[in-house]
C-alpha cells in the first residue's frame, strides 16, 4: 500500500487560493489519488479523485504530474468554512485499502 | 435523514463492560467498514465487510468483533471495554462503480466512546 506524506498544518486567509501537496513515491499503476475533507466531530467527506493530469469539480482542483509521485489539491478562494483536516489517500478503490494518515490541518483566518 | 446512521452518538461506559455500536445505511452499498479515530490522528480500519457473508479484519481488530446482520446493518462490539478504546468510531460504506473506480467512502457522523 502506497504511503503518503503531506504537511501537518497550513494557515491561510479568506479569499486566498490554498495548495496542499501530497507525496506518494510508491504509487502503483492501478492506484487512484483521492482527497477527503473532515470537519471536527464529523466523518470525512470525499472531495476529489484523479488518476493523472488535472481534475476539477465544483469544490477543488487536483493536479497530478506525469510521474504521479505527488499531487496537489487546490482550493480556490477559501473561506472560514474551509477550515478542516484534508487527507490525501492513494489506492485502487475500496475502503479496505484506504489508509488515512494524519492529514493536513488547514486553518483559514479572517 | 443521513444515508449512514450510527447509534449511539455518544456513550460513556466502564472498564469491562460490553458495548455495541450500530451502523445502518440506506445507500444500498455492499461494502461496510468500521474505523477508529484518536485525537489528532487519522482513521484506522478495524473491520470491513464486502457482503453479509464476508467479514475481514483490518489494521487494529484486536479487542473488537463485528456482525453483519443484513446488507444495511453492520455492528461493532467491544466485548470487554478498556480505557485505551476511548475514541471516535466511524462507520462507512462504499461501492465499486466500475471504471473509473472511485471507491468513494461515505461516512456516518461518528460514535464517541469513553471508557472509564
Amino acid at each position: 500500500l502506497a504511503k503518503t506524506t503531506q504537511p501537518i498544518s497550513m494557515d491561510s486567509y479568506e479569499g486566498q487560493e490554498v495548495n496542499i501537496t501530497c507525496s506518494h513515491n510508491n504509487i502503483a499503476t492501478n492506484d487512484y489519488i483521492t482527497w477527503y475533507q473532515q470537519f471536527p466531530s464529523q466523518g470525512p467527506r470525499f472531495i476529489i479523485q484523479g488518476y493523472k493530469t488535472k481534475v476539477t469539480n465544483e469544490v477543488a482542483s487536483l493536479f497530478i504530474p506525469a510521474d504521479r509521485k505527488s499531487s496537489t489539491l487546490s482550493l480556490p478562494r477559501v473561506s472560514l468554512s474551509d477550515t478542516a483536516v484534508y487527507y490525501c489517500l492513494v489506492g485502487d478503490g475500496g475502503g479496505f485499502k484506504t489508509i488515512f494518515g494524519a492529514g493536513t490541518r488547514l486553518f483559514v483566518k479572517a | 435523514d443521513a444515508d449512514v446512521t450510527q447509534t449511539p452518538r455518544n456513550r460513556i461506559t466502564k472498564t469491562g463492560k460490553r458495548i455495541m455500536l450500530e451502523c445502518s445505511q440506506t445507500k444500498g452499498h455492499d461494502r461496510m467498514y468500521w474505523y477508529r479515530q484518536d485525537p489528532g490522528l487519522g482513521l484506522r480500519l478495524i473491520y470491513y465487510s464486502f457482503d453479509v457473508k464476508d467479514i475481514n479484519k483490518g489494521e487494529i481488530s484486536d479487542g473488537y468483533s463485528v456482525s453483519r446482520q443484513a446488507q444495511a446493518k453492520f455492528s461493532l462490539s467491544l466485548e470487554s471495554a478498556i480505557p485505551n478504546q476511548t475514541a471516535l468510531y466511524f462507520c462507512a460504506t462504499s461501492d465499486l462503480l466500475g471504471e473509473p473506480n472511485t471507491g468513494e467512502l461515505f461516512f456516518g457522523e461518528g460514535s464517541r466512546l469513553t471508557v472509564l
Side-chain angles (χ1 to χ4, degrees), chain B residues 36 38 62-64 77-89 113-115:
Chain B
R36 164 179 173 161
D38 294 284
D62 287 349
Y64 302 94
S77 294
L78 289 68
E79 297 300 326
S80 180
I82 56 178
N84 75 2
Q85 290 178 313
T86 293
L88 186 56
Y89 291 86
L113 176 65
T114 302
V115 183

Side-chain angles (χ1 to χ4, degrees), chain A residues 67 80 85 97:
Chain A
D67 66 5
L80 297 176
V85 178
K97 292 186 179 181

Side-chain angles (χ1 to χ4, degrees), chain A residues 36 38 44 49 87 95-96 101, chain B residues 31 33 35 37 42 102 105 107:
Chain A
Y36 284 81
Q38 184 180 26
Q49 184 184 76
Y87 297 97
F96 66 105
Chain B
R31 298 185 172 193
Y33 313 82
Y35 288 90
Q37 185 172 37
T102 69
L105 291 162
F107 286 85

Side-chain angles (χ1 to χ4, degrees), chain B residues 59-100:
Chain B
E59 180 185 357
I60 53 165
S61 59
D62 287 349
Y64 302 94
S65 63
V66 291
S67 173
R68 184 81 183 267
Q69 301 94 325
Q71 186 206 36
K73 296 183 182 297
F74 193 36
S75 299
L76 176 72
S77 294
L78 289 68
E79 297 300 326
S80 180
I82 56 178
N84 75 2
Q85 290 178 313
T86 293
L88 186 56
Y89 291 86
F90 288 102
C91 174
T93 73
S94 74
D95 198 9
L96 287 178
L97 303 178
E99 294 298 332

Side-chain angles (χ1 to χ4, degrees), chain A residues 65-87:
Chain A
D67 66 5
R68 304 201 326 123
K69 293 184 181 297
S70 67
S71 59
T72 299
L73 174 72
S74 181
L75 304 173
R77 298 180 297 282
V78 295
S79 64
L80 297 176
S81 62
D82 291 317
T83 293
V85 178
Y86 293 83
Y87 297 97

